[in-house]
Amino acid sequence: MNQQSVIELITQLDSPKIKFAFTDIDGVLRGKTISRQKFLDGLADGYGFCDVVWGWDSADVPYDNGRTTGWQSGYPDASVHIDLATFRQLPWEDGLPFFLADFDAVAACPRSLLRRVAEQGRAMGFHAEFAQEFEWFNFRETPHSLQEKGFRQLEPLTPGMFGYSILRPSLESGFHNDLFDLLTRFDIPLEGLHTETGPGVYEAAIAHDEVVRAADKAALFKTSVKEIAYRHGLVATFMAKWNADLPGCSGHIHQSLWNREQTKNLFFDAEQPNRMSELMRHFIAGQLHCLPYITPMFAPTINSYKRLVEGAWAPTTLTWSVDNRTTALRVLNRNEALTRVEHRVSGADTNPYLALAAALASGLYGVRHKLTLETAASVGNGYADKQYGILPTNLAEATRAMAASPIASELFGVEFVDHFVRTRDWEWRQYAQQVSDWELKRYFEII
């Protein structure tokens, strides 16, 4: 969509305002509603936006170790450009025009990073086709009630464990139908929506698309679900593990490389073992090789690592398989059209731009360096297959590995890695300063 056609469209819609947004480093959607005139005036040269959004955490607390911006720079405005190709209308806000935006001159901008990685793939002759799927829990709460209850004794949307239930969605048909229908109208079409095992938990698979558009849809999906939930008196959470006794929430990434014309899936080769092309094997080898050094891109929070434990439907080892849900990478290739690699490390708490950038960049690394897939496919229990290594077990360990790795800088650039690992180090230090309920119960009286 060119600038003139956008101007004509916005004029025809006769909307007095538009909304635009972007994700910060944590994947939180930040943005503004601006007047139609301000939108039109900034199309050519962009808009000023306070760069504090790259200098604070998800709770709006400024980093004490930041270089991208900070008190030392006075938090000036940075230039934001709206991507006109991302035009949508918000169906739950009377068709309000909506766009995504980029901070092109800020190395920390996740969407800009993914665009650069996608361009590397195109330069190598590939069309990257990706999709992300999410699990999340829904509660009969409000932001106020969460605070009043101290996030304890929360009421789930429905009780009990009932995965793939036909009954539960019919009980909440208004919410269920709004999710499917409103997301589709917002250009986030779903391939499937169902309950997962756990009280009030849903899973949705977003239709696959070109990798940047796929990340756009995934990032917007999370906030859209929360907004739709609000309208039904609910709160949705995408925490990786909100309750120690229940399964965690995944954000699996489905990925394939096609030729430029999108007529051939380059991961499929009927003549090769397991129908896996040499390109696919290079791609998987690259992902396994890089994974220990870029884990925070897939597991970015303290809570992420509560999900990555044995027997919790999330991987812990550097493994791959053919259709085995206990490994880090899962090959699905019953036919050419559907052949793909599922990256199962990624949780629902990821920033989709960073997770997809990490998946694609590490796969392309294997292709570029023609890495050999020396590890054998895991058969049976992938948790027990530790011969090739295990994933980092906490954010501090994962962040140290990324900070020290030349691979991370090669994949994402020195500036981005420096900023990102500083934010993850900050996150770990905020956690380390807290006194938990577990500590009080264990030590208060008896020690």
Side-chain angles (χ1 to χ4, degrees), residues 6-35:
V6 168
I7 292 173
E8 292 173 359
L9 178 59
I10 296 299
T11 301
Q12 291 170 6
L13 290 173
D14 197 30
S15 175
K17 57 186 181 291
I18 71 102
K19 185 179 286 189
F20 73 90
F22 54 90
T23 71
D24 64 13
I25 203 72
D26 290 293
V28 177
L29 210 62
R30 310 271 187 175
K32 292 182 180 180
T33 300
I34 60 176
S35 69

Side-chain angles (χ1 to χ4, degrees), residues 52 63 65 70 77 86 109 177 191 204 435:
V52 72
Y63 301 124
N65 61 348
D77 278 354
T86 64
C109 178
N177 290 332
E191 287 189 346
V435 177

Side-chain angles (χ1 to χ4, degrees), residues 286-305:
Q287 292 196 320
L288 290 174
H289 179 74
C290 297
L291 184 53
Y293 311 110
I294 60 173
T295 303
M297 306 281 274
F298 302 107
T301 71
I302 299 295
N303 184 250
S304 301
Y305 299 83

Side-chain angles (χ1 to χ4, degrees), residues 227-301:
E227 292 194 25
I228 294 169
Y230 282 164
R231 283 156 176 75
H232 287 267
L234 306 171
V235 170
T237 181
F238 287 83
M239 279 184 67
K241 185 89 166 178
W242 84 272
N243 186 304
D245 299 323
L246 295 172
C249 293
S250 70
H252 299 157
I253 303 167
H254 296 261
Q255 36 189 359
S256 58
L257 296 181
W258 294 64
N259 60 359
R260 283 196 179 98
E261 297 75 25
Q262 302 174 48
T263 57
K264 181 173 176 55
N265 188 337
L266 301 176
F267 279 179
F268 183 83
D269 187 339
E271 304 303 317
Q272 294 298 318
N274 290 320
R275 299 184 292 276
M276 295 168 57
S277 70
E278 183 179 23
L279 178 73
M280 187 187 210
R281 298 179 73 84
H282 289 324
F283 192 90
I284 292 174
Q287 292 196 320
L288 290 174
H289 179 74
C290 297
L291 184 53
Y293 311 110
I294 60 173
T295 303
M297 306 281 274
F298 302 107
T301 71

Side-chain angles (χ1 to χ4, degrees), residues 57-84:
D57 64 14
S58 59
D60 293 4
V61 179
Y63 301 124
D64 64 6
N65 61 348
R67 287 183 179 174
T68 297
T69 189
W71 300 115
Q72 72 276 9
S73 62
Y75 297 111
D77 278 354
S79 181
V80 174
H81 282 82
I82 285 176
D83 186 342
L84 300 180

